Amino acid sequence: MSEEKNSGCSGNCSSCSSSCSSRDPKSLIEPTGEYNNIKHVVGVMSGKGGVGKSMTTSMLAVLMNRMGYKVGILDADITGPSIPKTFGINSRAMQNELGILPAETKTGIKIMSINLLLQEKDSPVVWRGPVIAGAVKQFWHDVVWGDLDFLFIDCPPGTGDVPLTVFQSIPLDCTVIVTSPQDLVSLIVKKAYNMAKMMNIEVLGMVENMSYVVCPDCKKEFHIFGQGSEGIAEELGIPLLAKMPIDTSLAQMVDNGAFEHFDCTYLDNAAKEIEKLMHK
Ligand code: ADP
């Protein structure tokens, strides 16, 4: 992938798209808007879609908000945005002379998502990669986030154009990788991990979602997708921060837009790890 230094090298990576071996992966980082003061940015990523990345993002945001921090969620999953629905937000984003104003959930979490800008919520976003990537960048610098302790980025799944833009243009403090305990997903998780490493972004740890299901009658745990991601976390040298079961009450809360009211402790440990960023 990497090339030798371009013969016409100006020494300024920020205005060049060559992928030379000497390129600093963070040289394309963009500043956020002048009205924003964002202390920590945490990316939530996954190797593939459908493993519960958005649910994990939402739960971590709610937990940090419950701890008293000022929290926002940038929904960078442009082609599969689910954050507004999770929080029951049906309004459209407003704009004033300072920029685009994020929506606010009932408990004060700030949200920006493409679904707040579309006329019809069910219109597909049929855009090419660079246009989608441009929207993500706009969410980073044109949205008036104000003062935030934590901005969570619900990254697009995979390792394509748009996740690359997120990693290159937004100064992430760290990422959390969400996976499910299937061999296939675990394989793809390594790609996500390697991508973060290539971009010099710390991987805080892994959240294993859909780890098991508890029988409502006998309370026994069934590991329907197989046994655990400990092996892969160990292999990659990162902590397994949490194991979250398939919990139908969570899915219902998402569907009813009432996710802020969840009452479970699955990701408490992960939230405590994220809180440590405040003391770094
Ligand atoms: P992704 O962001 O990885 O595509 P989502 O977070 O949107 O995945 O989750 C996909 C679907 O699975 C959603 O309908 C969500 O409500 C549901 N879901 C995710 N995790 C769980 C869980 N632990 N228990 C029950 N339903 C879940």
Side-chain angles (χ1 to χ4, degrees):
M1 274 258 291
S2 62
E3 300 155 8
E4 280 312 302
K5 208 167 201 171
N6 186 327
S7 54
C9 177
S10 66
N12 179 8
C13 302
S14 67
S15 56
C16 172
S17 60
S18 289
S19 52
C20 318
S21 48
S22 55
R23 167 171 220 120
D24 171 5
K26 292 198 175 155
S27 58
L28 298 175
I29 293 283
E30 304 214 358
T32 186
E34 58 181 307
Y35 304 103
N36 298 338
N37 174 22
I38 302 172
K39 292 200 183 110
H40 299 288
V41 186
V42 179
V44 183
M45 62 186 305
S46 65
K48 67 189 279 296
V51 296
K53 171 183 53 64
S54 300
M55 183 184 275
T56 302
T57 309
S58 304
M59 195 177 273
L60 289 173
V62 171
L63 288 171
M64 300 315 291
N65 186 50
R66 285 182 188 170
M67 287 183 201
Y69 295 109
K70 293 188 199 123
V71 178
I73 303 176
L74 188 163
D75 186 358
D77 197 348
I78 302 286
T79 53
S82 53
I83 300 292
K85 163 105 181 110
T86 304
F87 289 92
I89 293 174
N90 297 307
S91 56
R92 297 196 46 207
M94 309 289 272
Q95 185 162 10
N96 68 13
E97 65 285 0
L98 305 181
I100 307 169
L101 303 176
E104 257 188 58
T105 70
K106 292 182 192 75
T107 59
I109 298 171
K110 292 181 180 171
I111 284 174
M112 181 46 66
S113 167
I114 196 74
N115 257 14
L116 302 179
L117 303 174
L118 296 175
Q119 214 124 53
E120 301 293 336
K121 302 262 175 284
D122 51 5
S123 305
V125 175
V126 191
W127 295 346
R128 301 230 181 245
V131 181
I132 298 178
V136 172
K137 283 197 217 172
Q138 257 193 300
F139 287 176
W140 169 242
H141 53 68
D142 294 352
V143 169
V144 187
W145 293 105
D147 285 335
L148 287 183
D149 296 310
F150 292 99
L151 177 65
F152 287 92
I153 315 264
D154 186 6
C155 296
T159 53
D161 208 20
V162 187
L164 187 64
T165 297
V166 171
F167 278 36
Q168 281 187 321
S169 46
I170 301 179
L172 298 174
D173 287 55
C174 63
T175 66
V176 171
I177 299 182
V178 184
T179 182
S180 68
Q182 257 185 302
D183 275 355
L184 172 72
V185 181
S186 308
L187 177 77
I188 299 169
V189 146
K190 287 187 195 163
K191 291 181 194 277
Y193 172 84
N194 287 330
M195 182 179 184
K197 280 283 146 197
M198 278 167 69
M199 310 305 294
N200 289 337
I201 295 168
E202 183 197 349
V203 178
L204 197 70
M206 198 187 270
V207 167
E208 185 188 88
N209 187 27
M210 308 188 186
S211 299
Y212 55 93
V213 64
V214 179
C215 169
D217 294 328
C218 68
K219 306 292 173 211
K220 206 172 148 194
E221 289 179 8
F222 291 92
H223 296 257
I224 50 178
F225 290 123
Q227 282 290 346
S229 305
E230 278 91 354
I232 180 146
E234 212 170 289
E235 192 185 327
L236 297 176
I238 54 174
L240 184 58
L241 298 171
K243 286 185 167 209
M244 180 150 62
I246 296 176
D247 182 335
T248 50
S249 71
L250 291 178
Q252 269 164 19
M253 282 180 176
V254 167
D255 288 346
N256 298 335
F259 195 68
E260 275 166 303
H261 306 304
F262 72 76
D263 179 21
C264 63
T265 56
Y266 307 133
L267 296 191
D268 284 11
N269 190 31
K272 279 185 199 133
E273 285 303 312
I274 291 170
E275 190 184 23
K276 288 182 187 163
L277 294 173
M278 290 301 284
H279 312 297
K280 273 193 179 171

